[in-house]
Amino acid sequence: VRGNKRAKDGRAKVVRVRSKRLCPNHVGEILTPSRTRAAEAIVTDLVFGATGCRKTVTKYVGRKGFCNRNKGYHNPPAIQRLGGRRFGQGFFAWVGYLRVILRLPYEMISRVASDMMGIDVCDSVVVRTCAELSDDHRRTEHGLEKAILSSPFVHVDETRLNIQGRNQYVWVFTDGRHVIFRLTETRETTVVHRLLDGYEGVLLSDFYPGYDAVACRQQKCLVHLIRDMNDDLWSNAFDGVLERFVSEVRDLLVPMLDTVKRYGPKVRYLRKFRREVDLFYKRSVDSRTYESDATVKFQNRFARYRDSLFVFLEVDGLPWENNMAERVIRQLAVQRKISGFFYEDGARRYLRLLAIAQSCRFQEKSFLRFLLSGTKDLDAFKQSGLRR
């Protein structure tokens, strides 16, 4: 940048940039600044301060470089780096914030941009802006995935998403600080097997049978178990056998969960309950015959998942529920109600931005400030004042 001239309104300015010096196609060939051909680019942006933001318009002007060998012209490097974009980083971050955090539709974002910022953009431009913003953060998503796979446990859950009238499935993976999504056409757990191939931690999930074959240690969500038992109690109000069985489960679980609430999920306080678990299985699961079908169903579940119901008694810091994944899913469910359906490419890009936003929320960082920072490493991002 050689210099700039600010317009009278204090917001628009002209920046004169240096011509390209060397030809990219011929080593050592020096370009001659053209006297007749100029390159220019106009960039509209939003600059954020401590109490708000304002619009800026910057016009970049420079001479094209002429190559005597192939008689071609080359734009100045500063204009080349813009890549033809009409809007700056602040505008991209603002649009991403409106779309993901405030859940505004594309047409509403274009209206807000016109009414509040004086920036006239059509809906298709807003769609492309969100798409480019998402593509620019592929490396951020890769970093989130790497962090999750190195964590001691992973929460997983899935939900349906309407893709142009056809149900597909969104899978969420989180360790409580990082979030990623995956979109698949079916509910087959191939994506879970592929992502967790070689994973050495603990997988937390509900009782969907597709998770059972994942080759790692697992902890099943006890909240789902308790919820299912309560539902069956309501459906079988006069089943005394089921009521007694549920009472025995309650007597087993309540002291454990009280200990977790008081001391946290620490093995030194929970290890003592292993003996209670063994006695429960010996007394109520292994050597009992129940006449109640509902009770037999839960007896079989306890027998089938014996190795994955009480892993939290043996692993420090391991949760006993899958609420973290459900919290992430809940944010997607709200957007699903608003949008109705997605296009597949748009859904994948939206899920990438939503994963970054949810990771920011878990780490108590501002999604807007992260986008404004220009960095792609969320863990390395240290939140400070807004970009000026």
Side-chain angles (χ1 to χ4, degrees), residues 194-214:
R194 184 167 58 248
L195 183 67
L196 299 181
D197 183 29
Y199 179 64
E200 298 180 353
V202 181
L203 176 65
L204 289 99
S205 69
D206 56 24
F207 290 90
Y208 173 51
Y211 297 123
D212 296 348
V214 178

Side-chain angles (χ1 to χ4, degrees), residues 1 30 36 75 104 107 118 133 151 180-181 219 266 275 293 311 314 363 369-370:
V1 178
I30 298 178
T36 59
N75 287 330
L104 294 185
E107 60 271 17
L133 180 66
S151 65
I180 59 172
F181 291 100
Q219 168 66 54
K266 299 178 180 179
R275 180 174 177 275
D293 292 339
V311 179
E314 305 169 355
Q363 297 186 29
R369 295 188 185 191
F370 172 71

Side-chain angles (χ1 to χ4, degrees), residues 291-306:
E291 298 180 356
S292 166
D293 292 339
T295 308
V296 170
K297 180 181 70 173
F298 287 109
Q299 181 188 27
N300 293 336
R301 182 182 293 191
F302 271 92
R304 178 178 179 178
Y305 295 106
R306 182 167 188 164

Side-chain angles (χ1 to χ4, degrees), residues 5 39 57 60 92 94 98 197 228 238 276 300 318 329 371:
K5 180 179 180 182
V57 179
Y60 297 88
F92 274 74
W94 181 71
L98 295 183
D197 183 29
D228 292 344
F238 301 101
E276 302 298 327
N300 293 336
L318 182 66
I329 288 288
L371 297 180

Side-chain angles (χ1 to χ4, degrees), residues 16-257:
R16 302 192 179 279
V17 298
R18 296 182 183 276
S19 300
K20 196 174 185 65
R21 184 172 179 272
L22 298 176
C23 178
N25 302 322
H26 304 93
V27 178
E29 182 70 19
I30 298 178
L31 301 178
T32 304
S34 174
R35 295 184 178 181
T36 59
R37 295 199 179 186
E40 64 178 40
I42 299 176
V43 176
T44 302
D45 202 359
L46 296 177
V47 177
F48 288 78
T51 58
C53 65
R54 59 183 176 86
K55 182 181 76 171
T56 64
V57 179
T58 305
K59 182 178 181 180
Y60 297 88
V61 179
R63 294 181 179 181
K64 291 189 176 184
F66 178 73
C67 178
N68 292 303
R69 293 182 63 178
N70 64 1
K71 310 303 180 182
Y73 291 89
H74 301 274
N75 287 330
I79 293 180
Q80 283 183 329
R81 285 194 294 269
L82 295 176
R85 287 186 172 181
R86 295 169 46 201
F87 301 100
Q89 180 178 319
F91 180 79
F92 274 74
W94 181 71
V95 170
Y97 181 83
L98 295 183
R99 177 61 179 157
V100 178
I101 302 300
L102 300 187
R103 305 188 183 99
L104 294 185
Y106 296 121
E107 60 271 17
M108 189 63 69
I109 295 176
S110 63
R111 185 180 304 176
V112 171
S114 176
D115 293 344
M116 297 185 61
M117 301 299 175
I119 302 175
D120 293 326
V121 291
C122 59
D123 299 350
S124 60
V125 172
V126 176
V127 173
R128 287 200 303 272
T129 299
C130 290
E132 291 180 23
L133 180 66
S134 178
D135 292 342
D136 286 345
H137 286 81
R138 292 180 185 273
R139 186 156 61 89
T140 304
E141 182 184 46
H142 179 72
L144 296 175
E145 177 182 328
K146 185 176 180 181
I148 289 174
L149 295 179
S150 63
S151 65
F153 58 84
V154 175
H155 298 263
V156 62
D157 202 358
E158 81 288 338
T159 188
R160 289 190 298 271
L161 194 66
N162 187 328
I163 303 296
Q164 294 180 268
R166 187 165 47 91
N167 279 334
Q168 293 194 20
Y169 287 86
V170 175
W171 305 79
V172 57
F173 301 86
T174 178
D175 62 354
R177 287 181 54 83
H178 312 87
V179 178
I180 59 172
F181 291 100
R182 292 292 182 266
L183 181 66
T184 60
E185 294 184 357
T186 68
R187 204 184 179 192
E188 294 181 2
T189 54
T190 305
V191 64
V192 182
H193 288 267
R194 184 167 58 248
L195 183 67
L196 299 181
D197 183 29
Y199 179 64
E200 298 180 353
V202 181
L203 176 65
L204 289 99
S205 69
D206 56 24
F207 290 90
Y208 173 51
Y211 297 123
D212 296 348
V214 178
C216 67
R217 204 173 184 186
Q218 298 190 32
Q219 168 66 54
K220 294 302 179 182
C221 177
L222 296 185
V223 170
H224 282 79
L225 176 64
I226 296 170
R227 186 186 305 159
D228 292 344
M229 299 182 79
N230 285 335
D231 290 343
D232 275 28
L233 278 176
W234 281 105
S235 302
N236 302 273
F238 301 101
D239 190 335
V241 177
L242 176 62
E243 185 176 348
R244 286 191 295 272
F245 182 83
V246 172
S247 296
E248 293 174 0
V249 175
R250 178 199 61 198
D251 294 340
L252 173 67
L253 294 181
V254 168
M256 296 180 188
L257 304 187

